[in-house]
Amino acid sequence: MFRLDAAPRYRLARPPLNQALVDVRFPVQAGLATMEGIAPVQQQLNTLFPYLKQQQVQQVSLVMGPGIPAAAGAQASPVWRFEDDSGWSLVLAPGSAVLSVGPQYSGFGEFSERLSAVLQALSNSAGVTRADRLGVRYLNIVEVPPDDEGAWRRWFRPELTGWSGTILDGPTRLITSLTQTQLAAPPLGELSGPPVDVQALVRHGVIPAGTVVPGVVPVQPQRSAYLIDIDVFVEAPQPFDPKELSRQVTSFHGQIDRFFYWAMTDEGAEYFGKEVDDAAGNSL
């Protein structure tokens, strides 16, 4: 997808990562709406996620038609939230699963292992046979020091920050500048496997204090911040093969990882505490 070399194994002592997540959607499994149906999944994942909460999400539908007055109906949909003591969560609904972790993220190795366990549980214990969407998203938000509002211009490459990072006059304050780019790449080479093009949404730019950024848990930075939000996904039915889906997630992550590594300048790498080491495990 990107004409960039794969990133070396590295770690960041002060990573800007706010959330990392994998989103899997599949045809509705009615059993996942019941306590009896969720019990086998909980049993299989109990070591990774010892705590389970049941939540109800209101789904609103609008009924309209000739001679029928508009009427809104609300129906509660069950959602199960699996958690541990380390910041990991799995939100499971009858038609979707979202595995996520916040700033506690320690590396893709652990992320991949947990995802593999979740996919196996969905296949073995919930009877999921088809995936309709598979996506990987990494949300990075770095607040700008109040005494150095232009620091983001030095942390990230000018090819990323664009004209607003290079030609503004000294006294001029940038309030907000957010860019979204959508990409599609054929499933070839490293991206082989999915039945259709692999897509990506790349959002980046300066956001003002108080901006609400959507996520598994919405984020609201207290100061002006620079955002890099990358979502790589495929939307098409494909067999729910845990090994193949895990391999695709690894491929999608590789695209995200090399993009962020490329985006950092030397000063940015120093600010985030980059260390390159063959043994390092917590790159993005």
Side-chain angles (χ1 to χ4, degrees):
M1 181 167 286
F2 302 112
R3 196 169 61 242
L4 298 169
D5 293 333
R9 293 173 63 86
Y10 70 99
R11 67 179 301 274
L12 300 176
R14 296 173 293 279
L17 183 66
N18 183 275
Q19 294 177 35
L21 62 94
V22 171
D23 170 33
V24 187
R25 299 178 195 174
F26 43 84
V28 170
Q29 303 294 306
L32 293 178
T34 67
M35 190 68 73
E36 294 78 9
I38 203 67
V41 178
Q42 182 187 24
Q43 184 175 7
Q44 190 165 345
L45 295 176
N46 190 60
T47 301
L48 292 176
F49 298 100
Y51 313 120
L52 176 63
K53 299 178 182 178
Q54 183 178 10
Q55 302 172 336
Q56 296 291 330
V57 177
Q58 293 292 326
Q59 294 182 334
V60 179
S61 59
L62 189 65
V63 180
M64 300 179 66
I68 303 175
Q75 183 178 7
S77 176
V79 173
W80 308 93
R81 187 179 185 90
F82 296 76
E83 298 177 331
D84 69 359
D85 292 315
S86 303
W88 289 86
S89 74
L90 169 66
V91 178
L92 184 57
S96 65
V98 179
L99 173 67
S100 67
V101 65
Q104 302 89 345
Y105 177 93
S106 61
F108 183 70
E110 182 180 8
F111 198 76
S112 179
E113 291 174 3
R114 286 179 177 260
L115 174 65
S116 178
V118 169
L119 295 175
Q120 289 289 349
L122 290 173
S123 177
N124 298 339
S125 300
V128 180
T129 59
R130 190 180 85 189
D132 292 332
R133 186 188 192 276
L134 179 67
V136 183
R137 180 185 176 201
Y138 277 62
L139 173 60
N140 300 276
I141 300 176
V142 54
E143 293 190 358
V144 179
D147 58 348
D148 191 0
E149 293 187 356
W152 57 272
R153 297 183 175 94
R154 304 191 305 276
W155 294 339
F156 300 108
R157 299 170 65 109
E159 297 95 323
L160 181 73
T161 60
W163 67 266
S164 62
T166 56
I167 66 171
L168 294 185
D169 194 24
T172 304
R173 295 176 57 240
L174 178 63
I175 305 302
T176 184
S177 175
L178 192 60
T179 299
Q180 175 174 299
T181 303
Q182 184 166 359
L183 308 170
L188 303 172
E190 293 180 35
L191 294 176
S192 64
V196 297
D197 286 356
V198 177
Q199 299 186 59
L201 286 175
V202 182
R203 308 174 187 89
H204 62 90
V206 174
I207 55 176
T211 300
V212 178
V213 182
V216 174
V217 178
V219 187
Q220 191 170 17
Q222 300 305 301
R223 299 197 302 264
S224 176
Y226 199 88
L227 174 145
I228 300 180
D229 182 4
I230 311 174
D231 186 2
V232 180
F233 59 94
V234 60
E235 287 186 318
Q238 60 177 310
F240 199 94
D241 180 340
K243 288 186 178 180
E244 172 58 21
L245 296 180
S246 292
R247 191 195 64 78
Q248 291 180 27
V249 165
T250 298
S251 171
F252 297 173
H253 164 266
Q255 300 299 313
I256 295 172
D257 198 23
R258 69 186 63 188
F259 183 92
F260 185 84
Y261 191 84
W262 163 84
M264 290 187 296
T265 62
D266 290 342
E267 184 172 343
E270 181 178 356
Y271 181 81
F272 298 128
K274 184 190 77 174
E275 298 175 8
V276 177
D277 189 329
D278 290 340
N282 58 337
S283 61
L284 287 183

